[in-house]
Amino acid sequence: AVLMVAVVCASVVARNAPTVLSAGPALLAALLLLHGGGFLLGYLVPRLLLQADERTARTVSIEVGMQNSTLGAVLAALHFADPATAAPAALS
């Protein structure tokens, strides 16, 4: 599974190398929001709403945060004409 995530993300980055290099701060902000939000919500929802224990909430947080990259890259590539839309997810 980890190898497939790496392959998907590497292919998106390779196709968009000039865009990625020129995006700078905007791309960094998108990355921080995507993963920061995923990790945060992945922790808070189980912990606060579902009354899960600390270990379970951390596990869910890691799973949600890590899966954002592949899912975001694939969905962006499928639904947007500009392939650069997949770059923020793939870089993370």
Side-chain angles (χ1 to χ4, degrees), residues 6-76:
V7 168
V8 168
C9 293
S11 70
V12 171
V13 172
R15 282 183 289 178
N16 298 297
T19 304
V20 168
L21 293 173
S22 67
L27 185 57
L28 181 60
L31 291 173
L32 291 174
L33 286 172
L34 174 69
H35 284 289
F39 283 114
L40 183 65
L41 287 174
Y43 178 81
L44 291 178
V45 169
R47 189 75 172 137
L48 300 177
L49 296 180
L50 303 175
Q51 303 301 314
D53 62 19
E54 177 75 21
R55 185 175 182 179
T56 301
R58 278 189 275 138
T59 301
V60 172
S61 174
I62 291 167
E63 286 297 318
V64 170
M66 294 304 293
Q67 290 176 8
N68 277 341
S69 60
T70 305
L71 181 62
V74 170
L75 289 175

